């Protein structure tokens, strides 16, 4: 197992403390959990995955807060649990956390059913993904393999009741404000604690957060994401941004611009490919990402599809095989740049 970095302490302009707890949500995949404390009220922001090893690390990280910084905090001391978005590496540890505390759980309304009706969500999203993969132009064997990987570890999680909803209209906890930033996930929120922004997976320090087309899940898609990037860059008073993965960011607006530039470059690549000849989403994915393997194949197909969808919705790509679309029940769309 890869070595993890230590717990880090960040102090806001108003004297509140944010502890960053890196934990291995999945093998070789680090997620950042945060504890916000003013000495009396303790908030947990995200909780890692449902993997038993991840839960063990979460407990160890809580102990490390006391060992390194002298503030003894346990899961049983929490006053609220805030979930930034409905992805398994951020909410999957809730069943474990619930064994130690009855602190109320909050999440944005557009991600509520993912936490509270997970078994239903897994079936419905799976059906939508199957249709998407067929339209991408994959063989039946390839689709079957990807669906098996998609289900994967998701069976470890059990639905949990959501106690309140996080919105921009009301502070989820005194002195903390939420900004709804959809795209990477429908209900993703960034949480501002004085001059520190917990940007979750909306803005990360090194990678461009994963995109998936809205044709699979509403309120995702590159269009929503780019709009939300502009929105987050306008949040005032941010000295430091802390992401759901990777490193702290001292220049939020600069990092936002870098991410936008990266997507512009990728969109131009897609247009170039589709000018040469009509391309399926599977074709575009291979051009963008090459010969990836394992679960990364699915991520690449979703990322490619999000960019194709964005260009198609804006009339920069058109369907080149209209006759096939008319005559076949589940046709593979082949896109051509105008």
């Amino acid at each position: 197992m890869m070595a993890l970095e230590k717990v880090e302490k960040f102090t806001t302009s108003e004297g509140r403390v944010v502890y960053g707890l890196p934990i291995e949500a999945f093998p070789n995949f680090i997620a950042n959990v945060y504890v916000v404390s003013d000495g009396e009220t303790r908030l947990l922001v995200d909780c890692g995955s449902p993997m038993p090893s991840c839960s063990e690390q979460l407990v160890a990280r809580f102990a490390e807060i006391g060992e390194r910084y002298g503030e003894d905090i346990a899961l049983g001391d929490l006053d609220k649990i805030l979930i930034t978005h409905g992805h398994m590496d951020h909410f999957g540890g809730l069943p474990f956390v619930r064994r130690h505390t009855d602190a109320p759980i909050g999440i944005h309304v557009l991600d509520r059913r993912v936490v509270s009706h997970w078994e239903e969500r897994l079936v419905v999203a799976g059906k939508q993904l199957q249709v998407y993969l067929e339209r991408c132009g994959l063989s039946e064997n390839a689709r079957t393999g990807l669906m098996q990987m998609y289900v994967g570890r998701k069976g470890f999680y059990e639905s949990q009741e959501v106690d309140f909803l996080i919105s921009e209209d009301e502070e989820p906890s005194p002195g903390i404000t939420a900004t709804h930033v959809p795209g990477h996930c429908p209900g993703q929120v960034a949480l501002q604690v004085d001059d520190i922004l917990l940007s979750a997976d909306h803005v990360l320090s090194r990678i461009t957060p994963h995109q998936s087309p809205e044709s699979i899940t509403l309120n995702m898609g590159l269009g929503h994401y780019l709009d939300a990037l502009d929105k987050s860059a306008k949040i005032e008073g941010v000295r430091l941004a802390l992401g759901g993965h990777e490193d702290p960011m001292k220049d939020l607006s600069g990092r936002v611009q870098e991410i936008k530039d990266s997507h512009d470059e990728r969109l131009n690549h897609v247009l170039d490919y589709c000018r040469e000849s009509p391309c399926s989403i599977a074709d575009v994915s291979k051009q963008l990402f090459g010969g990836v393997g394992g679960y990364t194949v699915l991520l690449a197909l979703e990322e490619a599809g999000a960019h194709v969808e964005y260009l198609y919705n804006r009339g920069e790509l058109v369907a080149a095989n209209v006759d096939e679309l008319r005559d076949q029940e589940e046709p593979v769309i082949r896109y051509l740049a105008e």
Side-chain angles (χ1 to χ4, degrees), residues 149-169:
M149 283 189 286
Y150 172 75
V151 174
R153 300 183 183 93
K154 293 178 173 66
F156 283 99
Y157 179 76
E158 296 177 357
S159 294
Q160 301 295 308
E161 183 176 351
V162 171
D163 301 292
F164 67 98
L165 298 176
I166 300 175
S167 75
E168 297 182 336
D169 300 326

Side-chain angles (χ1 to χ4, degrees), residues 295-317:
Y295 197 80
T296 307
V297 174
L298 178 57
L299 298 179
L301 286 164
E302 290 179 339
E303 185 82 22
H307 287 76
V308 168
E309 179 183 76
Y310 181 86
L311 293 168
Y312 180 76
N313 287 343
R314 284 153 182 77
E316 297 183 67
L317 293 178

Side-chain angles (χ1 to χ4, degrees), residues 8-315:
E8 293 192 56
K9 178 181 178 180
F10 307 91
T11 303
T12 75
S13 56
E14 302 301 315
R16 283 191 278 192
V17 174
V18 178
Y19 296 105
L21 286 60
I23 55 178
E24 193 171 23
F26 297 112
N28 299 321
F29 185 71
I30 304 300
N32 295 328
V33 170
Y34 294 99
V35 174
V36 181
S37 171
D38 61 7
E40 296 182 1
T41 301
R42 278 79 178 262
L43 311 176
L44 178 66
V45 179
D46 293 340
C47 58
S49 79
M51 301 299 293
S53 59
C54 183
S55 298
E56 293 172 3
Q57 289 178 16
L58 182 62
V59 172
R61 291 307 192 193
F62 266 80
E64 190 178 335
I65 294 174
E67 294 166 0
R68 291 181 57 83
Y69 301 107
E71 183 172 4
D72 292 325
I73 305 175
L75 288 170
D77 300 325
L78 297 173
D79 295 284
K80 280 186 179 180
I81 301 167
L82 308 180
I83 301 299
T84 60
H85 63 292
H87 283 167
M88 183 61 67
D89 53 322
H90 294 267
F91 74 85
L94 282 174
F96 173 80
V97 172
R98 261 284 172 259
R99 294 183 221 156
H100 300 269
T101 177
D102 59 359
I105 298 169
I107 194 169
H108 191 274
V109 64
L110 293 181
D111 281 350
R112 172 171 59 181
R113 66 190 176 91
V114 178
V115 170
S116 62
H117 294 81
W118 172 248
E119 295 77 13
E120 172 203 336
R121 164 67 180 166
L122 191 58
V123 172
V124 173
K127 294 293 184 182
Q128 292 167 323
L129 181 59
Q130 283 180 315
V131 172
Y132 172 74
L133 293 177
E134 186 169 352
R135 290 178 176 174
C136 282
L138 297 178
S139 68
E140 184 175 355
N141 285 341
R143 297 196 305 269
T144 299
L146 289 174
M147 289 305 302
Q148 289 173 344
M149 283 189 286
Y150 172 75
V151 174
R153 300 183 183 93
K154 293 178 173 66
F156 283 99
Y157 179 76
E158 296 177 357
S159 294
Q160 301 295 308
E161 183 176 351
V162 171
D163 301 292
F164 67 98
L165 298 176
I166 300 175
S167 75
E168 297 182 336
D169 300 326
E170 183 178 355
E171 294 180 344
S173 187
I176 295 178
T177 57
T179 301
H180 180 214
V181 283
H184 174 74
C185 200
Q188 179 152 260
V189 293
L191 300 170
Q192 187 168 5
V193 187
D194 304 326
D195 59 347
I196 292 179
L197 185 73
L198 304 182
S199 62
D201 285 10
H202 180 59
V203 182
L204 299 175
S205 65
R206 295 193 298 274
I207 68 167
T208 56
H210 176 64
Q211 299 302 304
S212 181
E214 193 171 22
S215 60
I216 299 177
T217 303
L218 293 177
N219 296 295
M220 295 181 71
L222 189 57
H224 288 293
Y225 180 67
L226 294 176
D227 288 344
L229 279 178
D230 289 335
K231 184 178 181 180
S232 61
K234 296 176 182 177
I235 299 174
E236 296 181 353
V238 177
R239 171 180 58 87
L240 184 68
L242 303 176
H245 308 274
E246 303 181 344
D247 305 318
M249 295 164 281
K250 295 182 179 179
D251 181 6
L252 176 64
S253 60
R255 180 58 189 146
V256 165
Q257 188 59 54
E258 289 174 353
I259 293 173
K260 290 174 64 177
D261 290 344
S262 176
H263 284 296
D264 284 342
E265 182 179 1
R266 188 161 287 171
L267 289 167
N268 286 328
H269 284 325
V270 174
L271 288 172
D272 288 342
Y273 303 144
C274 293
R275 285 192 187 100
E276 296 176 3
S277 61
C279 294
S280 67
I281 290 175
D283 295 331
V284 172
S285 179
K286 289 178 182 177
Q287 292 279 2
L288 287 175
F289 304 108
V292 296
Y295 197 80
T296 307
V297 174
L298 178 57
L299 298 179
L301 286 164
E302 290 179 339
E303 185 82 22
H307 287 76
V308 168
E309 179 183 76
Y310 181 86
L311 293 168
Y312 180 76
N313 287 343
R314 284 153 182 77

